[in-house]
Amino acid sequence: MIEERSAGGTLGSIGQQHEMSRERVRQLLLKAQDQICDYADLFVDDWRDRLLALTAGPAAPGSEVAAVLDVRENVAMGLLVQAVGAESPLTWAGRLHGWWTRDPGALEARLRVGAGEAPLRREDVAVAFASAGVPGDVPLLELLGHAKSPLVPGVEGSWLRRRARGRDAAYLHLLANGEPCRAEELLEPTGIERKPAVAEALRRDERFVQLRLEGKWALAEWPHLNDTSYPNAVEAFVATLTELGPIAKEALFVKVGERYPVTLWRLQQCLLDDRVGMTEDGALDLVARGAFPIEESEPARPATMAVDPAGNVFGIRLTVDKEVLRGSGVNVSSWITWQLGMRQAPMARTFSIAGHPAPIVLKRGTGAAQLSSLRVLARESGMVGGCEFVLFLRADDSTARVEHTCARQYCRAVMAPS
């Protein structure tokens, strides 16, 4: 009964299972609690004070309760914690069982403060919720993924507000891209199907502004939005370096930011351009003036990519989505280009496919790595939207092949009517 109660069972449901009344269950649990408290008094005379201090915060895990009492974690500890007035904290996903507090509403309040910082990039999630006072061991991703969470997952581990997911996705896309985009370029990132709908959504959000001369959308936080003659961030970077170099990186970043609306993240990407290099004393200058090219540092390997032990055959797991079906290039992690030695930009490598006149082209740009269209390959393999497949790339002979990897009983292509 103690175990069932700690797992969230009600007195009524426990009584039904053991064929006794709700009141009898309550009496037995209280008797057990009294006995456990008596035993605790014999061995740890200040256990109440210890638990009162521990449960003053928004949430303390059972492991910390065990550590405070100097015992192994066990289900009976819950009776001791309840004896000092603690209970499982509340969240939007219900009670967080296995955790304890004497202020049950505090954790959800702090979770909502953290969620209020959305949209959040993957690297910002832990920081935002820690700043809100959410304990670091709380199963945050599990709570964020709950159906009643105020946030929904975005691309690359980001989290968006449920009621503003399209606009939040546009914000993060512009932030990552580092330069203004046309409305049609935001259709895929936002999931909005029509260009006018994108424009209308951004127009109602004060985080966005439209550049009147070009019609592109930018972030209001970017300076000098209408005062630039550069087509993109890389050209602004190279032009500034051409005029001022050699120059320290921090100083160059400041000068480029004065001329073109660009994020620090995008400026770091510009360092990969094959025209940019570093001098012996650490300053930035043009390769044409004798600077040494800067190579990309090794990115983290995503879960969707793998390589054989010999380092020759690479696999990229992909899903047939709208981007694939309409024949667009497919953005992929730059881990694959780094492994293939493509550590500057622009660089490209082709992989031939048996029976196909057009090869697969893998490009490394300053902003991202991209595969050429995979639509024909997906269709010829009988795949439809939602199907999963792996693209294999061989480094030794520059060949490629596609393997449809859906489990047959779940494959949409198999279940689709003929």
Side-chain angles (χ1 to χ4, degrees):
M1 289 183 184
I2 295 171
E3 290 178 343
E4 291 160 4
R5 186 64 168 158
S6 67
T10 64
L11 296 177
S13 65
I14 296 172
Q16 288 180 350
Q17 184 172 346
H18 296 280
E19 298 182 347
M20 60 182 62
S21 69
R22 178 182 184 279
E23 176 59 22
R24 182 56 179 158
V25 173
R26 187 187 69 81
Q27 292 172 355
L28 289 174
L29 289 176
L30 284 176
K31 182 178 180 180
Q33 186 178 59
D34 290 340
Q35 291 175 335
I36 292 293
C37 291
D38 289 342
Y39 285 128
D41 288 336
L42 294 175
F43 297 101
V44 188
D45 56 3
D46 64 342
W47 65 268
R48 290 178 178 83
D49 292 335
R50 297 186 186 185
L51 292 183
L52 284 171
L54 178 64
T55 57
S63 59
E64 290 188 14
V65 174
V68 163
L69 298 177
D70 195 23
V71 298
R72 288 184 297 180
E73 189 172 353
N74 62 84
V75 71
M77 293 188 316
L79 297 178
L80 295 176
V81 185
Q82 292 169 19
V84 299
E87 55 186 282
S88 296
L90 294 168
T91 73
W92 53 61
R95 295 276 184 179
L96 188 60
H97 297 293
W99 293 71
W100 301 98
T101 180
R102 287 185 289 112
D103 185 1
L107 179 59
E108 182 169 1
R110 298 187 184 199
L111 285 168
R112 292 194 180 277
V113 170
E117 297 297 315
L120 298 169
R121 299 173 297 178
R122 182 200 300 271
E123 59 268 30
D124 299 330
V125 174
V127 175
F129 284 92
S131 299
V134 177
D137 292 334
V138 165
L140 187 57
L141 295 182
E142 179 182 330
L143 293 173
L144 290 179
H146 192 269
K148 293 185 178 180
S149 169
L151 304 184
V152 294
V155 299
E156 298 181 351
S158 63
W159 290 91
L160 317 172
R161 292 173 297 167
R162 186 177 295 276
R163 297 176 179 271
R165 66 184 72 184
R167 287 178 285 137
D168 281 357
Y171 177 86
L172 292 182
H173 180 81
L174 286 168
L175 192 66
N177 195 53
E179 54 193 36
C181 292
R182 298 190 181 279
E184 55 266 30
E185 297 176 78
L186 295 171
L187 291 173
E188 181 67 28
T190 61
I192 300 175
E193 296 183 354
R194 297 172 55 250
K195 174 182 172 182
V198 171
E200 181 59 27
L202 301 191
R203 195 171 290 116
R204 292 184 286 106
D205 193 317
E206 62 183 12
R207 294 175 296 174
F208 305 96
V209 293
Q210 188 173 24
L211 307 183
R212 295 303 176 187
L213 294 179
E214 299 175 295
K216 293 183 177 181
W217 289 92
L219 298 181
E221 62 196 58
W222 289 341
H224 311 299
L225 289 171
N226 289 296
D227 184 23
T228 177
S229 57
Y230 303 105
N232 54 53
V234 175
E235 295 307 319
F237 192 95
V238 172
T240 306
L241 186 60
T242 301
E243 179 182 332
L244 302 178
I247 185 173
K249 181 175 75 172
E250 293 77 10
L252 176 61
F253 282 9
V254 170
K255 293 297 184 181
V256 175
E258 292 175 353
R259 302 182 181 196
Y260 190 84
V262 65
T263 62
L264 178 60
W265 182 82
R266 182 65 174 128
L267 287 170
Q268 288 289 153
Q269 291 181 322
C270 292
L271 294 173
L272 298 180
D273 189 87
D274 59 4
R275 292 169 288 179
V276 177
M278 184 173 290
T279 64
E280 291 184 352
D281 59 0
L284 295 178
D285 201 355
L286 298 177
V287 172
R289 293 200 288 239
F292 299 100
I294 301 172
E295 288 191 350
E296 179 183 27
S297 57
E298 182 176 6
R301 181 178 70 84
T304 54
M305 294 186 179
V307 61
D308 73 331
N312 184 49
V313 181
F314 296 84
I316 307 173
R317 189 173 72 248
L318 298 162
T319 299
V320 179
D321 54 16
K322 290 187 293 184
E323 197 171 80
V324 172
L325 290 174
R326 72 184 183 188
S328 304
V330 179
N331 289 332
V332 294
S333 169
S334 58
W335 178 83
I336 186 72
T337 50
W338 194 93
Q339 294 292 329
L340 291 169
M342 302 162 64
R343 301 173 188 176
Q344 290 180 274
M347 295 186 75
R349 183 166 175 177
T350 60
F351 295 84
S352 60
I353 298 180
H356 279 266
I360 294 292
V361 180
L362 176 63
K363 296 180 179 179
R364 180 62 178 106
T366 55
Q370 189 179 70
L371 290 163
S372 57
S373 174
L374 302 172
R375 177 173 57 183
V376 174
L377 290 173
R379 287 182 173 175
E380 289 186 354
S381 299
M383 290 184 275
V384 299
C387 283
E388 294 186 351
F389 66 100
V390 174
L391 174 66
F392 292 98
L393 303 176
R394 289 187 63 97
D396 57 355
D397 60 5
S398 295
T399 60
R401 67 181 178 88
V402 167
E403 182 175 319
H404 188 177
T405 59
C406 288
R408 186 172 180 82
Q409 64 270 34
Y410 302 117
C411 180
R412 295 189 181 185
V414 173
M415 294 186 293
S418 57

